[in-house]
Amino acid sequence: MAENNMGGQQVLLLPEGASRLLGRDAQRTNIAVAVAVANAVKTTLGPKGMDKMLVSDLGDIVITNDGATILEEMNVEHPVAKILVDVAKTQDREVGDGTTSVIITAGGLLKGAEDLLEQGIHPTIIIKGYKMAAGKAAEILSKYSKSVEISDEQTLQKIAMVSMGSKNIGDDSTKAQISKLVIKAVKQVMEKTQDGKYRIDHDFIKVEKKAGGSIADTALINGVLIDKEVAHPGMPKSLTNAKIALLDVALEIEKTETDAKIEITSPDQIQSYLQQEERMLKEMVEKVKKSGANFVVTQKGIDDMAQHYLAKAGIMAVRRVKKSDIEKLSKATGAKIITSLDDLNSEDLGHAGIVEERKIAGEQMVFVEKCKDPKSVTIFVRGGTQQVIDEAERSLNDVIGAVSATIENDGRYVIGGGSIEIDIADELRNYSGQVGGREQLAIQKFADALEGIPKTLAESAGIDAIDTLVQLRSKHKAKDGKIYGVDVYRNAIGDMTKAGVFEPEKMKVQSIYSASEAAEMILRIDDIISSRGRSPGGQGGAPGMPPME
Ligand code: ADP
Ligand code: MG
């Protein structure tokens, strides 16, 4: 079938067995897939959203509410579904939170586009309208956003709590405790840039987890936790005022040195060879000792003999530590990473109030804590089961993202619970009138898609979605009514400022742009060529996709 007719001559364009969908068929299929993906994650939105349990081929279980994780674990195969997975991942990387919303919005945009395509409106017009609407939405967002001072812990905490709200990881007091901890961590590692803004490198808030204890035992460590044990039983297990040497060099005799052929003709020679090796190791330890270090961390190995000498010198050591952990230790303790022992001297050492090996859930871990003004910290997550701590870790990623996104963006935040989406939708509808032409229809669809957020929140709370939208729209038109959103706990519309439902402006902007770009990308496709011997559309939709609702 894959053939073109050129001047009466048949031209074979595609290999045998390839299949092809063109024009409206291609669009229809792609949109159906996108809507199916959106439907699959929709029920998890908001604090009343449900969790999903995903079971892998190997029987591993993931229980989560996190949009990006669900899509990733679903192993979707259809290329359009993959685009949406990428969008969720980008949102996750850029802001850490808002992944479900971005997928719901993208699904809504494509559903709206389907109506317009059906009316014969060309995709390029829809794309143009969507682009205009996204830009306008960002403008509207900045108009409606307010600013929180960095010192205003109360408001920051509300933003953190909303981000954690939908995750099933303990009661409100635990969530409040974790929010505080995250805010502290973010403030600890943030750095002021030249333009007076703050920057937060998420890599320097390490999340370490161990099943056991309860989620309420989750703690902030002003330093780094190393998931390793002290190298030798004779070494100290606890130090105060540790002086820390970070090595990217082994305390071993290099293989190449011993590989050199040595001819041994008498037992004396073996003896002298071993003595020489021992002397070299002893010298290495001497260099460490001379620097004044009492705690050594190396990315490489430590020979048994070197361990023995270190222990004898009262030096604690940990070996084969991940490069990323060494970097974090450097940020936290101020130690310089040394690549040659000859360079090691006292100025290169870092400092920590306490270094201690502790047994956690049957395994030894080394705590490097009480660092002075560390630029790298660790949140140590505890919880009853692996599933609980895994979800807690995902949630921490969201909260760290939400708090950082707020602080990095001059503290700007908006009212959540579907409230801001009602305002953007309203202003977009006004704007569409000014734009006119066919683009205005696309801008109106964009407004509808954004209202998918309050609509879905209402559905999750079990209240009538259409009634809710009507009520919210009318409240928002009234004086002082812009604070209304879906109060999911009272199953009615309510004052979101009272409920403290605040969200970072940056997260909303990113989610609107990403959703719009994904929709545009999918709308541009009018030809799906599949050379994998599968039908790109056809019965049952895409392979690997959940059934359509
Ligand atoms: P996402 O992955 O998009 O962040 P969530 O499941 O975290 O999805 O849900 C976020 C949505 O839930 C946002 O629209 C937010 O405003 C809303 N939300 C969060 N907490 C509340 C609350 N207490 N009341 C009403 N809406 C809330
Ligand atoms: Mg969220």
Side-chain angles (χ1 to χ4, degrees), residues 65-66 96-101 162-167 398 503 507:
N65 183 291
D66 193 65
D97 195 6
T99 52
T100 310
S101 304
V162 166
S163 170
M164 220 175 338
S166 57
K167 301 288 191 296
D398 288 19
E503 294 183 290
M507 176 178 93

Side-chain angles (χ1 to χ4, degrees), residues 60-89:
D60 292 337
I61 295 172
V62 176
I63 298 174
T64 186
N65 183 291
D66 193 65
T69 308
I70 293 167
L71 290 182
E72 203 164 345
E73 296 287 332
M74 266 168 44
N75 276 323
V76 289
E77 275 194 19
H78 194 283
V80 162
K82 285 196 168 143
I83 292 176
L84 292 175
V85 175
D86 278 347
V87 173
K89 278 194 193 153

Side-chain angles (χ1 to χ4, degrees), residues 44-47 65 97-101 162-163 166 416-418 453 457 486 488-489 496 501 503 508:
T44 68
L45 187 78
N65 183 291
D97 195 6
T99 52
T100 310
S101 304
V162 166
S163 170
S166 57
I453 300 296
L457 287 170
V486 183
V488 294
Y489 295 113
M496 291 293 107
V501 186
E503 294 183 290
K508 293 283 177 195

